[in-house]
Amino acid sequence: MSPIGIFGGTFDPIHYGHLRTAFELLRLRQIHFMPAGNPPHRDQTIASTADRVAMVKAAVAGQPEFVLDDRETRREGPSYSIDTMRELRAEMPNQSLCLIVGMDAFLGLPTWHQWRELLNLIHLVVAHRPGWRAPTMGPLGELLVDRGTGRIDDLHEAPSGRIYIHAVTQLEISSTELRKLIVSGRDPRYLMPDAVRDIIKSTGYYARKG
Ligand code: ATP
C-alpha cells in the first residue's frame, strides 16, 4: 500500500523549502498540495486565494507525482484539517494517508480543532525544520512515545495512526522571510520556482506599495 502524502499550507507564497521537502518524501506515491482556504489560526493572507492556488499550480507543474488539491479553498467558512481528513478518508477508505507538516506546525498541533482524532484518520509525517526540535515532554512528547516510528514501512502497512519524523535537507526558507525580502526590494530568485516568482512580479504581491 503506497501512501499518499497531503501537504497543507497557506503557501503565501510557496517556496523551495516546501517543494524540496515534498520531493524527498517521494517514497509516497503522490503528494497532494492543499492550499488552506480561510486558515483558522492565521491572519489574512496577502495573496488572494486564487493567486495562492495559481502559485501552487505553477510550482508543481512538471512533477507528475505532485498534485494540486484546492478543495479547502472552495469551502465556505473556516477550513479545519480534521474535516478535510475525514473527507479524504471517506473517499479512500483503505488507502494509507500521510499528512505532512513541518516541525513548527507539529508543535502547534494541540491547538488544532479535534487534534486527538487526527491519527485515527491519517499518519503524520513531520519534516525537520531549521531551529525547531522534536518535543520530548507534554502531550506531544507522550504522543511521540506512543505513536512515533522510525520505520517508514509502518506508513505502508497501515492506513493511519503513526508519526514519522523525517530528516529532510534543511532549507532555511520561510514564506514570512520571503515576504520581508520582497518588500525590501530584493529578488527571491533561487528561493522559489521562476514560475512563482513571475506571478509575484506580475501581481505586485508582497512589494512595498507606492
Ligand atoms: P509562514 O512563514 O508564513 O509561516 P511557511 O514558510 O511556514 O509560512 P506554510 O505555508 O505556513 O509556509 O507552511 C506549510 C507547511 O510547510 C508547514 O507544515 C510548514 O511547517 C512546512 N514548511 C514550510 N517551510 C518549510 C521548510 N523550509 N522546510 C520544511 N518544512 C517547511
Side-chain angles (χ1 to χ4, degrees), residues 37-65:
N38 176 7
H41 7 256
R42 313 247 332 207
D43 300 334
Q44 241 0 74
T45 56
I46 302 219
S48 70
T49 299
D51 285 326
R52 287 185 296 111
V53 170
M55 288 190 275
V56 172
K57 191 170 181 188
V60 302
Q63 179 65 46
E65 296 87 355

Side-chain angles (χ1 to χ4, degrees), residues 154-166:
D154 284 342
L155 309 180
H156 293 247
E157 289 163 12
S160 61
R162 306 307 300 260
I163 305 174
Y164 179 79
I165 299 190
H166 190 61

Side-chain angles (χ1 to χ4, degrees), residues 13-27:
I14 189 163
H15 52 71
Y16 279 142
H18 301 126
L19 292 160
R20 181 69 205 178
T21 297
F23 186 67
E24 292 185 11
L25 280 164
L26 272 186
R27 271 195 69 198

Side-chain angles (χ1 to χ4, degrees), residues 11-189:
F11 303 127
D12 189 23
I14 189 163
H15 52 71
Y16 279 142
H18 301 126
L19 292 160
R20 181 69 205 178
T21 297
F23 186 67
E24 292 185 11
L25 280 164
L26 272 186
R27 271 195 69 198
L28 310 184
R29 178 152 61 100
Q30 262 183 348
I31 312 253
H32 293 219
F33 284 77
M34 201 174 275
N38 176 7
H41 7 256
R42 313 247 332 207
D43 300 334
Q44 241 0 74
T45 56
I46 302 219
S48 70
T49 299
D51 285 326
R52 287 185 296 111
V53 170
M55 288 190 275
V56 172
K57 191 170 181 188
V60 302
Q63 179 65 46
E65 296 87 355
F66 287 0
V67 178
L68 164 70
D69 183 337
D70 64 356
R71 69 179 68 214
E72 289 193 346
T73 66
R74 286 183 272 110
R75 206 181 278 152
E76 293 286 319
S79 62
Y80 292 113
S81 298
I82 190 81
D83 297 331
T84 310
M85 297 309 127
R86 285 198 180 110
E87 205 176 291
L88 288 170
R89 179 50 71 207
E91 286 167 21
M92 297 177 268
N94 304 313
Q95 171 66 48
S96 168
L97 295 174
C98 296
L99 179 62
I100 302 163
V101 291
M103 186 61 81
D104 58 312
F106 178 65
L107 294 177
L109 188 70
T111 65
W112 295 17
H113 188 53
Q114 299 179 3
W115 69 280
R116 288 186 185 277
E117 290 297 311
L118 272 175
L119 285 173
N120 296 329
L121 298 164
I122 44 101
H123 299 292
L124 273 173
V125 173
V126 184
H128 271 299
R129 225 181 142 174
W132 300 87
R133 290 252 210 116
T136 51
M137 291 184 305
L140 290 179
E142 283 163 27
L143 193 69
L144 277 175
V145 170
D146 226 30
R147 305 298 192 102
T149 177
R151 270 185 84 239
I152 200 158
D153 287 350
D154 284 342
L155 309 180
H156 293 247
E157 289 163 12
S160 61
R162 306 307 300 260
I163 305 174
Y164 179 79
I165 299 190
H166 190 61
V168 290
T169 301
Q170 298 292 282
L171 293 172
E172 203 160 357
I173 307 173
S174 71
S175 303
T176 305
E177 291 306 317
L178 278 171
R179 293 191 297 267
K180 286 188 194 157
L181 183 145
I182 296 167
V183 86
S184 72
R186 283 174 296 151
D187 188 337
R189 191 164 198 190

